[in-house]
Amino acid sequence: MDSLLARLERRLGRYAIPNLIYYVVGGMAIVWVASVLRPSSLYRLAFDLDAVRQGQVWRLVTFLFAPIGQGYWALLSMYVSVWIGRSLEQYWGAFRFNVYYFLGALGAILAGVVAGDTTNLWLDTSLFLAFATLFPNESVSIFFLFPVRAKWLGIISAAWMAYRFVVGDTVSRVAMAAACLGYLIFFAAHWSKVLRERRGGVRQKALREQFQPVSPTHGQRVCAICGAREADGADIRVCSCEKCGGQTRTLCLAHARNH
């Protein structure tokens, strides 16, 4: 995926939109103000496939600018979206962030066309999942009071999505899967690598435990040849020479010198 994006960026990078998240959140702010002044305006911008078929094609795009939540929560979600979007663009660059966002947006639109309804909630959630994956140890303040690492909030978000996927209807499932299209494409190789490394680490740990010599506790060792006991004052040594076949044995001093 990285090589493909690199080739695309060389050819199309000049068309990338810098600071894309500012335009997205700016649109959300305008829609939020319009909804406060005239609540019915929000409905005219929401995704409605029947209305699209009647010529209101702007609904295919304007639903992406619907603020998440109402009142204070809408303002908070816009602030968080700016912070996350800027962090992702600084890490990836404008072109890759554009690709990630537009893949999610295209997925959300296609989900609406296929299932009849859609929302931008899952697209915003996929942005946060990308942030939590790239910056797992970044501190995120909940209500500006309680700092929590991004990876824990990412795990909670992923669990919440999984729950909604199980209990939700077909429309919700399609919208969720399609809106996360960008995340699946961008991070499939990342998670595959993590799983491989984790499986390799488990195997190496098992091998180390399998071949790790286990020596008797000092004071309880016994000569494997004559039975002399350390508790009785014998000088017991630990041996793992070629004559012992590479295995660890406890021997008294006399047999350790000549066996």
Side-chain angles (χ1 to χ4, degrees):
M1 184 61 189
D2 287 339
S3 60
L4 175 60
L5 285 173
R7 290 197 299 270
L8 290 174
E9 187 170 6
R10 285 194 295 270
R11 295 182 180 181
L12 306 174
R14 61 182 179 275
Y15 299 113
I17 304 173
N19 302 314
L20 173 64
I21 196 65
Y22 286 109
Y23 296 103
V24 174
V25 175
M28 288 182 175
I30 293 172
V31 172
W32 179 74
V33 172
S35 67
V36 171
L37 298 177
R38 182 176 294 180
S40 61
S41 61
L42 189 60
Y43 168 74
R44 291 186 57 82
L45 300 176
F47 188 93
D48 187 330
L49 190 57
D50 291 333
V52 171
R53 289 169 177 162
Q54 295 174 8
Q56 298 180 18
V57 293
W58 64 81
R59 292 177 180 266
L60 290 173
V61 177
T62 53
F63 81 94
L64 296 170
F65 300 103
I68 306 299
Q70 298 178 350
Y72 167 80
W73 296 107
L75 296 175
L76 180 61
S77 69
M78 285 187 279
Y79 168 78
V80 173
S81 294
V82 169
W83 178 47
I84 290 175
R86 286 183 59 190
S87 299
L88 293 176
E89 183 169 330
Q90 289 173 0
Y91 183 87
W92 279 330
F95 179 78
R96 296 196 179 202
F97 179 69
N98 278 210
V99 171
Y100 185 88
Y101 183 85
F102 286 128
L103 276 176
L106 179 61
I109 294 170
L110 292 177
V113 173
V114 173
D117 195 10
T118 190
T119 174
N120 64 341
L121 172 62
W122 306 119
L123 173 57
D124 281 17
T125 304
S126 74
L127 290 175
F128 181 75
L129 290 178
F131 176 84
T133 303
L134 294 174
F135 310 102
N137 296 318
E138 186 74 20
S139 181
V140 179
S141 296
I142 300 178
F143 305 117
F144 302 98
L145 295 174
F146 310 106
V148 180
R149 287 188 178 182
K151 65 179 179 181
W152 298 118
L153 294 178
I155 291 172
I156 293 173
S157 298
W160 176 63
M161 290 183 69
Y163 170 76
R164 290 293 301 273
F165 187 86
V166 172
V167 303
D169 55 17
T170 302
V171 172
S172 298
R173 291 172 181 170
V174 173
M176 194 183 307
C180 291
L181 178 64
Y183 184 88
L184 296 175
I185 292 176
F186 268 64
F187 293 101
H190 167 80
W191 288 115
S192 177
K193 180 181 178 180
V194 169
L195 291 175
R196 286 197 307 270
E197 291 177 349
R198 183 159 298 180
R199 286 197 298 266
V202 170
R203 286 196 298 267
Q204 291 177 2
K205 182 179 179 181
L207 289 173
R208 286 196 300 267
E209 292 177 350
Q210 180 180 353
F211 293 104
Q212 183 176 4
V214 179
S215 300
T217 305
H218 183 72
Q220 299 179 357
R221 294 180 290 193
V222 179
C223 178
I225 296 177
C226 67
R229 302 172 62 85
E230 193 172 38
D232 296 332
D235 187 357
I236 304 298
R237 305 298 178 89
V238 178
C239 181
S240 59
C241 66
E242 294 182 359
K243 294 181 181 180
C244 294
Q247 297 181 353
T248 299
R249 294 202 301 171
T250 54
L251 302 173
C252 66
L253 182 57
H255 287 113
R257 291 176 175 173
N258 183 21
H259 67 284

